[in-house]
Amino acid sequence: MYIIFGCGVTGNAVVDALHKSGKEILIVDKDESTLSQWREQQINVMVSDMESFDLNSQYCKNSNIFAILTGDSSGNLSMVKKIKEKMPNNFIIVRAFDQEEAEALESNGADMTLKTGDVLAKTILSAFETVEMEHSAFTLVNMIKESNGKELAIFLQDNPDPDAIASGLTLKYICKYCDVESKLYYGGNISHQNNKALINLLNMDLVNTKTKEAVMEVVRSAGKIALIEASIPSKNNALPMEVTPNLIFDHHQVDTSSVKGDFVDIQPNIGATATIMTKYIRQLNIKPDASLATALLYGIRTDTKEFTRNTSSDDLNAASYLSPLVDTNIMSQLEYPPMSLETMDIIGRAIRNKEIRGSYLASFVEFISD
């Protein structure tokens, strides 16, 4: 059972949430009129102030969680002391108006304090983020549609990794939603076994632009240019310096003053660009198919090193959303891709040629083409 002290705005919101989730509750307040609506809903209520509340009641014997949510600071502190003295193992969450009050409550046994100012700030910031995401998604769709019947050329970072590949595939997915043709381009090579497996298993069509002339031919014929997992032309991507991308998506730290583009979304606090792209399809209510969901989750897992590097709550939320949608068979093959004979030979040479000196091991694998 949950015992809630205080039936004001905060208390009512907590009671409503607990009641909807089927929890057993006792509401304690000194004002009979504030309890009447809950009594009508068959919820346990008690008219009492905190000073006279009986901690020996049957309700307390069946309860292990107390929420003290009144506006009476001294009364809240007094109740915390009483509960901890009588029932030291019970969990107590208490409303606090500032840091000083929170510290006093915690030093006297409160397990958690709910600072109203912080909660309000977080709520407002969350609302700001929601509005900003809605605006960004709306702007993105409008910009894509401005391709005027021409292709949107999506350039990935050189030697694209799973995060870049998945993010590019997602933008292509959004383009399809906007009835705009698009194509993926990259510089460098795709040589890592996992990256090859991702492209092969998802039957992806990526165009390798080997020369500046080939890139400029694409740029001249395209309606819009997008850059993924890179933010400055010629820096780890095939675009020449003189080209200004229309759309830029990245999560790497960069001097934003040097980034030029019509639509720029760079979020270095996020662990993967695939997370950013997942936020866009969710905002646009575009449900990814199994292939896209698998690519996105694999991209997030790869760039966050299985959520152990630069991982944010956004990365975890995206992974939680994508997990039920993935193709588990494809994901398994991505995690354990087939090994080529050349790779096996290279590993064999590395083992044979090893030399150990103290705590160091060095090896020479000779010439490798992959």
Side-chain angles (χ1 to χ4, degrees), residues 156-229:
L156 309 180
Q157 65 176 188
D158 286 345
N159 314 308
D161 61 7
D163 186 28
I165 295 168
S167 299
L169 183 60
T170 307
L171 184 55
K172 186 176 176 67
Y173 212 78
I174 296 173
C175 287
K176 183 179 179 181
Y177 167 80
C178 298
D179 294 320
V180 172
E181 292 293 324
S182 62
K183 192 172 291 184
L184 300 173
Y185 300 90
Y186 71 97
N189 298 290
I190 297 175
S191 57
H192 197 285
Q193 296 291 339
N194 300 67
N195 300 348
K196 287 181 177 178
L198 176 62
I199 292 169
N200 292 334
L201 289 169
L202 300 183
N203 296 313
M204 295 179 63
D205 183 22
L206 277 72
V207 179
N208 188 198
T209 49
K210 298 181 181 294
T211 65
K212 180 178 178 180
E213 290 73 21
V215 173
M216 290 308 298
E217 186 177 340
V218 172
V219 170
R220 284 190 291 268
S221 62
K224 296 285 183 181
I225 304 295
L227 186 55
I228 301 280
E229 269 282 84

Side-chain angles (χ1 to χ4, degrees), residues 34-49:
T34 62
L35 298 172
S36 58
Q37 62 168 319
W38 299 116
R39 181 181 283 110
E40 292 172 0
Q41 297 186 47
Q42 308 303 310
I43 294 177
N44 299 309
V45 299
M46 180 182 293
V47 180
S48 173
D49 57 26

Side-chain angles (χ1 to χ4, degrees), residues 3-284:
I3 297 182
I4 313 295
F5 292 94
C7 203
V9 175
T10 305
N12 278 329
V14 171
V15 170
D16 185 53
L18 290 173
H19 181 53
K20 287 178 179 177
S21 63
K23 305 297 184 182
E24 188 178 3
I25 313 161
L26 169 67
I27 313 169
V28 181
D29 197 283
K30 60 185 179 182
D31 187 350
E32 165 69 32
S33 61
T34 62
L35 298 172
S36 58
Q37 62 168 319
W38 299 116
R39 181 181 283 110
E40 292 172 0
Q41 297 186 47
Q42 308 303 310
I43 294 177
N44 299 309
V45 299
M46 180 182 293
V47 180
S48 173
D49 57 26
M50 290 187 290
E51 187 66 32
S52 58
F53 180 77
D54 184 10
L55 290 174
N56 293 312
S57 70
Q58 188 63 39
Y59 288 117
C60 293
K61 293 178 182 178
N62 297 329
S63 174
N64 57 4
I65 298 178
F66 291 84
I68 306 174
L69 307 175
T70 79
D72 181 359
S73 299
S74 60
N76 291 349
L77 179 59
S78 177
M79 179 54 76
V80 168
K81 293 177 179 178
K82 288 179 182 178
I83 295 172
K84 279 300 177 182
E85 182 179 350
K86 185 79 174 177
M87 295 164 282
N89 296 325
N90 284 30
F91 184 90
I92 307 175
I93 180 170
V94 197
R95 176 182 177 181
F97 288 92
D98 52 39
Q99 185 60 34
E100 183 180 353
E101 188 175 324
E103 290 173 359
L105 290 164
E106 289 167 1
S107 66
N108 283 278
D111 298 283
M112 182 184 294
T113 55
L114 189 68
K115 296 187 280 295
T116 51
D118 290 350
V119 172
L120 183 59
K122 288 177 182 178
T123 301
I124 293 173
L125 288 175
S126 177
F128 285 165
E129 289 174 3
T130 299
V131 172
E132 186 177 344
M133 191 65 213
E134 289 176 355
H135 176 72
S136 294
F138 176 79
T139 304
L140 174 61
V141 166
N142 283 342
M143 287 204 65
I144 291 173
K145 290 180 177 180
E146 289 172 1
S147 294
N148 297 321
K150 295 182 179 180
E151 171 191 286
L152 190 147
I154 304 169
F155 283 86
L156 309 180
Q157 65 176 188
D158 286 345
N159 314 308
D161 61 7
D163 186 28
I165 295 168
S167 299
L169 183 60
T170 307
L171 184 55
K172 186 176 176 67
Y173 212 78
I174 296 173
C175 287
K176 183 179 179 181
Y177 167 80
C178 298
D179 294 320
V180 172
E181 292 293 324
S182 62
K183 192 172 291 184
L184 300 173
Y185 300 90
Y186 71 97
N189 298 290
I190 297 175
S191 57
H192 197 285
Q193 296 291 339
N194 300 67
N195 300 348
K196 287 181 177 178
L198 176 62
I199 292 169
N200 292 334
L201 289 169
L202 300 183
N203 296 313
M204 295 179 63
D205 183 22
L206 277 72
V207 179
N208 188 198
T209 49
K210 298 181 181 294
T211 65
K212 180 178 178 180
E213 290 73 21
V215 173
M216 290 308 298
E217 186 177 340
V218 172
V219 170
R220 284 190 291 268
S221 62
K224 296 285 183 181
I225 304 295
L227 186 55
I228 301 280
E229 269 282 84
S231 52
I232 300 174
S234 80
K235 304 294 185 182
N236 194 33
N237 63 86
L239 287 176
M241 291 180 62
E242 59 267 27
V243 175
T244 300
N246 302 102
L247 310 171
I248 297 174
F249 302 91
D250 196 8
H251 75 103
H252 296 104
Q253 191 73 48
V254 67
D255 178 8
T256 54
S257 65
S258 61
V259 178
K260 302 292 186 289
D262 301 317
F263 181 94
V264 178
D265 193 344
I266 300 174
Q267 301 185 43
N269 59 309
I270 286 180
T273 302
T275 296
I276 299 172
M277 303 312 293
T278 300
K279 291 168 70 175
Y280 277 104
I281 58 173
R282 294 186 71 179
Q283 181 61 50
L284 294 169

